[in-house]
Amino acid sequence: VGPTPRRSRRTIWNPWRGSLAARSFSPLEALAYEALVAPALAGVVVPWLTRSLEGRELLDVGCGGGRVARALATEGRHVVGVDAAASQVRRFNLRASATRSRALVADAHALPFPEGAFDAAYSSCALKHWREPVLALAEMARVTRAGGRICVIDLDGRSDARRFARFAARCPLPGPLRRAYVAYSMRTVVAIAPSAERLRELLGAAGLEEIEVTSLGEEPFVAATATVPARQSAPALAQPLRSVAGT
Ligand SMILES: C[S@@+](CC[C@H](N)C(=O)[O-])C[C@H]1O[C@@H](n2cnc3c(N)ncnc32)[C@H](O)[C@@H]1O
């Protein structure tokens, strides 16, 4: 699907550039993320994915350190993770060492798997970082069997600070630091996160069907499931996607 993308940038967020979009986590970010955010995030994401996913062979795109995958794999599922950050892939593989689940360094825009290799594919809180989310979603669809599920969950770009603070309250941060974290996140990750409408639009543009988008109650997250349609020829699918990708 589409041309092979350039490698994702690997930099700590630069306030002068003003953007967190389209890049993988640096080792330092990954360390902070794993200690402070990932456990609380898994508490939201894992129950939803457990209800929403079907099948045994799963792909986790933007898998991070593998906390989510490890929780899902204990239910008798095999998870393959991909992440652009090598430090997170190493962390994933340490965590998953007792299971058959494994991760590799790869870009969401060019997944190194054949068509229909997985029963289902999911992504947790990575889509907002993708340079061309339609292409990445189309890649998830390509490597998932026809009729398989695609599940995507991310921060809700329409969340206000009060709603985000409900999530931040579960992160192990002292009061003043937590307030700073909320303010920082509102300006950075929430600002680039999709709304429910945008997520539906992206999944539709990627050629997915039976799209259902929900907000997770009072949580500052939006979650979507969709179904991979019966196969079309690859060139027929790729052509319209290229024109939507830049929107
Ligand atoms: C907020 S973390 C989410 C990690 C994990 N899914 C979780 O729920 O804890 C986003 C992850 O997406 C990865 N990422 C960003 N852009 C990517 C890309 N183009 N391809 C693969 N991974 C990417 C980052 O390196 C990072 O590990």
Side-chain angles (χ1 to χ4, degrees):
V1 175
T4 304
R6 294 180 303 276
R7 248 182 100 76
S8 295
R9 282 181 291 129
R10 294 179 57 195
T11 62
I12 297 177
W13 178 66
N14 178 342
W16 292 277
R17 287 180 67 100
S19 172
L20 263 174
R23 57 103 182 99
S24 66
F25 276 19
S26 71
L28 187 59
E29 275 176 299
L31 196 67
Y33 176 82
E34 287 294 319
L36 301 175
V37 181
L41 184 60
V44 174
V45 167
V46 170
W48 179 75
L49 282 174
T50 302
R51 288 195 301 277
S52 308
L53 282 167
E54 288 164 10
R56 295 176 65 83
E57 299 297 321
L58 307 180
L59 175 66
D60 182 337
V61 182
C63 59
R67 208 176 283 270
V68 170
R70 188 180 58 182
L72 295 173
T74 58
E75 288 164 26
R77 288 159 157 168
H78 174 217
V79 182
V80 173
V82 297
D83 201 286
S87 66
Q88 287 296 64
V89 166
R90 279 194 295 277
R91 199 171 267 120
F92 182 117
N93 287 331
L94 275 176
R95 275 207 176 105
S97 56
T99 74
R100 284 173 54 232
S101 296
R102 286 293 173 271
L104 58 142
V105 176
D107 190 321
H109 302 85
L111 295 172
F113 308 108
E115 193 172 283
F118 297 93
D119 293 325
Y122 67 89
S123 184
S124 159
C125 291
L127 176 140
K128 63 183 168 301
H129 298 293
W130 297 341
R131 188 179 59 251
E132 296 184 33
V134 175
L135 290 183
L137 290 169
E139 273 292 85
M140 291 173 71
R142 179 184 65 78
V143 302
T144 302
R145 66 172 169 75
R149 275 272 174 90
I150 303 294
C151 297
V152 178
I153 182 165
D154 211 321
L155 285 169
D156 184 343
R158 293 261 164 86
S159 302
D160 57 19
R162 186 196 55 81
R163 201 160 147 224
F164 187 83
R166 291 179 70 96
F167 170 71
R170 295 199 294 278
C171 299
L173 288 164
L177 260 186
R178 185 176 304 143
R179 284 191 288 280
Y181 169 62
V182 171
Y184 172 79
S185 300
M186 289 304 297
R187 282 200 314 274
T188 55
V189 283
V190 176
I192 60 170
S195 64
E197 296 74 25
R198 179 68 179 145
L199 191 51
R200 179 182 294 280
E201 199 179 288
L202 294 172
L203 288 160
L208 290 154
E209 294 176 346
E210 297 170 18
I211 300 165
E212 287 181 28
V213 186
T214 53
S215 286
L216 295 191
E218 280 295 295
E219 299 285 355
F221 294 90
V222 64
T225 61
T227 302
V228 177
R231 295 283 170 221
Q232 301 172 30
S233 71
L237 190 64
Q239 208 47 48
L241 286 172
R242 279 190 199 122
S243 56
V244 190
T247 61

